[in-house]
Amino acid sequence: MTHDTQHMTLYNGDNIARKKRVAVYPGTFDPVTNGHLDIMRRSLKMFDKLIVAVAHNPGKDPVFSVEERVALIKKATKGWENLQVDHFGNLLTDYMKSVDGRVIVRGLRAVTDYEFELQMGLMNRALDPSIETIFLIPSEVYSFLSSRIIKEIARLKGNVKGMVPEAVESLLKRKFGK
Ligand code: ADP
């Protein structure tokens, strides 16, 4: 088998081969919330493979290390088919090329996300016109969630049950005390 055919799948028993549709969901995920998981579930219905890519993002001064952020997503998505968790520190469009990804998935919670997302989407298109960005809307119960607000609540010893996966809840308690 050549390297090329390894990336092909056959469907309908035909000899028609097509490329796998690989989407990438990039983010800081500091930490992953149930809103992020909602977006992942929706993406998996649309693509053959979803790569959740944790951005190193040192500029954002993350509370959790890259390793912790990756491990928390892996734990929360254990057994999910066609999902892979990875991390990257280079330009997103370069990372996309390295994994043969054509689509960037982002979540839109409210209009307040729009301006930033539009700017990033257009910049990524300027850097690589072959890549498309799509926006998915989470269930409204998660639309008020953000990693930033979760950390704020945890710092103030509030209850984040039902907003984040259990592993995140326990690590937050360990970090911020309870
Ligand atoms: P970034 O620092 O790249 O914005 P985040 O981890 O904060 O990374 O978010 C990653 C993506 O997930 C972004 O597109 C963001 O809008 C989206 N997102 C964050 N929280 C939610 C949520 N509660 N519901 C749906 N999408 C979300």
Side-chain angles (χ1 to χ4, degrees), residues 25-30 33 35-36 39 57 60 106-109 113 116-117 138 142 145-147:
Y25 181 25
T28 315
F29 302 106
D30 185 45
T33 70
H36 293 130
I39 297 294
N57 247 346
K60 271 204 166 179
R106 296 283 290 175
L108 271 189
R109 287 160 291 189
D113 281 337
F116 174 69
E117 293 294 341
Y142 301 127
L145 276 183
S146 71
S147 301

